[in-house]
Amino acid sequence: MAGEILLNEAAYTVWQMVRDHGPIELGEVVKLTGIDQTQVAATATEAGLQGLFEIAEREREELVVADGAAGLLAIGLPERRAAERLIAASGELPIAEFIAWANANDVAPNEAFKWGGARGWIERTKGDGGPQVAVSEIGRQSLNQPDDDERAIQAALANGGRIFLDSMKAGAAGTARVNSLLGKRPELARIKKRTERILALTDQGAEAFQTRIHRVIERNLLTPEDLESGAWREIKLRPYDVKLAAKDVYPAKIHPLRKIIEQTRRAFLEMGFAEVVSPMIESAFWNFDALFQPQDHPARDMQDTFYMRDPAEAPLPGEKGVRNLLCEASSGPFRQKVPDTFFDTDAKIVEQVRRTHEDGWETGSEGWGYAWSPDVSKQVVLRTHTTAATIRALAANPNPPGKFFCVGWTYRNETISFKHLPVFHQVDGIIIDEEANLASLMGTLQEFYSKMGFGRVKFKPAFYPYTEPSVDVVVYMESRGKWLEMGGAGIFRPEVTLPLGCKFPVLAWGLGIERLAMLRFGLSDIRELYRPSLDALEGVPLCR
């Protein structure tokens, strides 16, 4: 049929509503039909462009009542209560006495003066005794009935909390007064500008509805019932526009930091490493002394290390109660199962570590030249690095070949910044091999970062008290345009390995997990990893 107009079910319903009830406001069509406002507006706009609908617009002011407005009216607005108090006091009070009354009765004096003056109810005067506050004649006459703005709020409350000011029949003067009294009182109400669109069929539209409008049943797909009943003949499949934006879908996912941790574990496991764990509550012996870190080293000060008050001491290797004490102290949501072999260390290691610190023992070193204290070594700390786990693994497995790593929480008394946190994750690893050297160490770490998706890695000479030679591992951070230190690495000194019974080269490293996550997700601040922003978490891609 020439000039035939095909409408889907929603559009046809809108046409029918406008024909039967027009002129009708667009919002009323939405209310009566239950069709989405966007669809109603689109149908009306298209019909208007074809000259089939007449769309008239008018601007209106809508009063929207605040949540606590009813309660404020019930107890009385500050200016109304103030005017009533002044009338009870024969019309005026000294300003000091008025303010004292207001403060005692939870009436804000500034609000009473401001809005009492705006209504013309309250005025300041000068009396023989000084400044006075008085109620005006208008105030005396107005207190017996609600003002225009109060009536507007009451009417809106009776209408579901909203009302158009022009529907109150208060006249232009009344509407202007409501605006002046409520325009800057958000605790009572807000006045919003609204554009209403009135829809009506034109003569051409009325003729088209009779002769050229046809309803089409639209569906996204056909059902078996449509095929069986023959209804498919009257159904039009909606066109599929591949250019339209798809709906965002946010499937369940693990936290991005946890994902990095699991990828780190997988990378080392794929490289043939065995994973080990140790208590997060550790003795100073394993955290410091076994690593040939002197007992007067600055890193062992309370400014850098967290010391435990209970338990304050831990038995040394070979003494009873080591396992129970440290495992109980490490209990909680992050408790890790620690192998028994980590607590079956021979007591002779303590003596060998002591001798190494004092005079070098059989390591060829002169040691640190001080009297080593077992009491300092028994101190209990929150481990400052997961090297405590790999050094335990070395003591339990001193002979090659051996490849071990540990991922876990570490604690340092750091000042919080964009790249430092007092609690963070670290991955430590060691390789025990007769032919181990610095080149194989750097190659291993280069391979690890390659598996994690980073190619720009370099190594800088560094110093650590328990490795020689030592290097810092540095990775380029695109988001800040600078190189970021990821951790330290090197070859354990004989002063570390020989007291533990290992006579072979041992490669070692300790790397930060949070900094790795910053690189992966393009973050410039490490704190963003721990902020509970659902929007940010939803936006993290599943794969990268």
Side-chain angles (χ1 to χ4, degrees):
M1 179 185 297
E4 184 179 26
I5 301 175
L6 302 179
L7 300 177
N8 62 30
E9 293 172 283
Y12 187 87
T13 302
V14 171
W15 270 76
Q16 197 171 38
M17 183 63 63
V18 174
R19 184 199 63 176
D20 296 341
H21 300 278
I24 183 172
E25 202 273 320
L26 187 146
E28 190 68 16
V29 175
V30 173
K31 184 177 179 181
L32 293 174
T33 62
I35 299 172
D36 185 78
Q37 182 170 336
T38 303
Q39 289 181 279
V40 175
T43 300
T45 300
E46 185 176 356
L49 293 174
Q50 296 174 359
L52 305 177
F53 271 22
E54 181 181 346
I55 304 176
E57 294 187 353
R58 64 170 175 171
E59 300 294 331
R60 304 183 74 183
E61 291 180 314
E62 184 182 32
L63 184 144
V64 182
V65 180
D67 291 340
L72 293 176
L73 288 182
I75 64 175
L77 298 180
E79 61 271 29
R80 181 174 287 279
R81 294 174 64 189
E84 291 172 349
R85 174 69 184 97
L86 292 172
I87 291 175
S90 300
E92 63 180 7
L93 282 173
I95 192 167
E97 185 177 338
F98 173 80
I99 291 175
W101 167 83
N103 291 332
N105 290 273
D106 197 25
V107 173
N110 291 340
E111 293 290 299
F113 287 135
K114 177 180 179 180
W115 297 110
R119 295 182 189 276
W121 294 356
I122 296 174
E123 54 192 12
R124 302 190 191 196
T125 61
K126 290 184 178 180
D128 295 338
Q132 304 280 317
V133 182
V135 62
S136 67
E137 188 60 33
I138 296 176
R140 291 178 183 275
Q141 298 173 1
S142 301
L143 288 181
N144 296 325
Q145 57 186 2
D147 206 342
D148 289 332
D149 61 319
E150 294 170 311
R151 282 196 295 270
I153 292 175
Q154 291 169 350
L157 289 171
N159 192 49
R162 296 170 178 267
I163 194 170
F164 286 105
L165 295 183
D166 57 14
S167 68
M168 295 178 56
K169 300 179 181 179
T175 299
R177 184 169 176 79
V178 172
N179 267 290
S180 66
L181 294 175
L182 292 180
K184 295 183 179 180
R185 297 190 83 168
E187 72 276 12
L188 294 176
R190 294 183 184 275
I191 297 175
K192 299 182 178 181
K193 300 287 185 181
R194 303 293 190 193
T195 300
E196 277 194 342
R197 293 171 175 82
I198 309 301
L199 310 181
L201 285 180
T202 64
D203 293 340
Q204 183 182 353
E207 183 274 332
F209 192 84
Q210 293 292 330
T211 61
R212 296 187 291 130
I213 296 292
H214 298 279
R215 180 171 59 177
V216 176
I217 302 173
E218 282 193 341
R219 296 286 187 271
N220 291 331
L221 51 82
L222 296 175
T223 65
E225 291 76 12
D226 295 330
L227 298 176
E228 291 178 4
S229 65
W232 61 269
R233 297 183 179 89
E234 300 177 3
I235 294 175
K236 179 183 178 183
L237 292 176
R238 293 190 180 97
Y240 185 78
D241 189 349
V242 296
K243 296 181 181 179
L244 292 177
K247 179 182 179 181
D248 290 332
V249 177
Y250 301 108
K253 66 182 79 170
I254 61 175
H255 191 279
L257 181 58
R258 172 52 56 184
K259 186 173 184 178
I260 290 289
I261 291 172
E262 293 305 318
Q263 290 174 344
T264 299
R265 293 180 62 249
R266 185 169 65 246
F268 280 110
L269 291 172
E270 289 174 351
M271 294 165 65
F273 285 76
E275 185 173 10
V276 296
V277 294
S278 70
M280 290 184 293
I281 307 300
E282 188 59 274
S283 69
F285 178 85
W286 289 110
N287 198 80
F288 296 120
D289 294 82
L291 288 165
F292 194 54
Q293 194 159 330
Q295 293 183 337
D296 60 354
H297 193 280
R300 299 175 73 151
D301 292 342
M302 293 189 70
Q303 289 85 352
D304 295 297
T305 302
F306 294 106
Y307 285 86
M308 293 290 292
R309 181 180 300 168
D310 182 20
E313 289 189 352
L316 294 176
E319 297 181 2
K320 293 182 179 181
V322 179
R323 177 179 178 82
N324 292 338
L325 182 69
L326 293 181
C327 282
E328 288 175 6
S330 295
S331 63
F334 305 111
R335 181 173 182 175
Q336 295 173 296
K337 180 174 176 56
V338 182
D340 291 334
T341 55
F342 276 23
F343 300 98
D344 295 337
T345 310
D346 196 323
K348 69 180 182 180
I349 287 180
V350 178
E351 177 63 17
Q352 291 165 182
V353 168
R354 180 190 71 79
R355 289 283 307 278
T356 303
H357 277 247
E358 292 184 350
D359 57 27
W361 186 52
E362 300 174 357
T363 64
S365 166
E366 295 181 357
W368 295 113
Y370 71 96
W372 184 81
S373 170
D375 292 335
V376 173
S377 193
K378 289 180 179 181
Q379 291 176 325
V380 180
V381 301
L382 293 177
R383 68 181 178 196
T384 62
H385 45 201
T386 46
T387 313
T390 51
I391 204 70
R392 282 181 177 273
L394 177 60
N397 306 273
N399 297 313
K403 298 167 71 174
F404 304 96
F405 80 97
C406 174
V407 179
W409 291 96
T410 55
Y411 308 83
R412 295 181 191 174
N413 198 356
E414 297 271 14
T415 299
I416 296 177
S417 70
F418 82 92
K419 62 178 180 178
H420 290 104
L421 289 175
V423 183
F424 58 97
H425 291 86
Q426 194 176 54
V427 54
D428 255 83
I430 59 172
I431 297 176
I432 311 164
D433 191 90
E434 296 178 4
E435 304 296 330
N437 55 46
L438 189 61
S440 57
L441 170 63
M442 292 189 290
T444 299
L445 296 178
Q446 183 74 53
E447 176 65 16
F448 165 68
Y449 281 108
S450 176
K451 284 180 172 289
M452 299 300 290
F454 305 103
R456 302 187 67 181
V457 182
K458 66 181 182 180
F459 303 90
K460 299 191 304 182
F463 169 78
Y464 293 99
Y466 38 87
T467 57
E468 180 61 37
S470 305
V471 295
D472 280 334
V473 186
V474 187
V475 176
Y476 189 72
M477 186 176 184
E478 297 286 351
S479 59
R480 279 191 173 262
K482 63 193 306 182
W483 291 88
L484 184 66
E485 181 186 331
M486 304 300 291
I491 301 177
F492 275 149
R493 296 172 59 159
E495 294 93 332
V496 175
T497 57
L498 291 178
L500 302 181
C502 179
K503 301 179 181 180
F504 306 94
V506 178
L507 310 180
W509 59 86
L511 311 173
I513 297 294
E514 277 80 357
R515 294 189 183 182
L516 183 60
M518 289 173 66
L519 290 170
R520 171 68 64 82
F521 298 110
L523 304 179
S524 58
D525 194 318
I526 195 171
R527 291 165 289 192
E528 294 180 41
L529 291 168
Y530 292 95
R531 287 175 180 154
S533 171
L534 291 180
D535 290 338
L537 292 174
E538 285 179 345
V540 175
L542 284 174
C543 299
R544 175 177 292 179

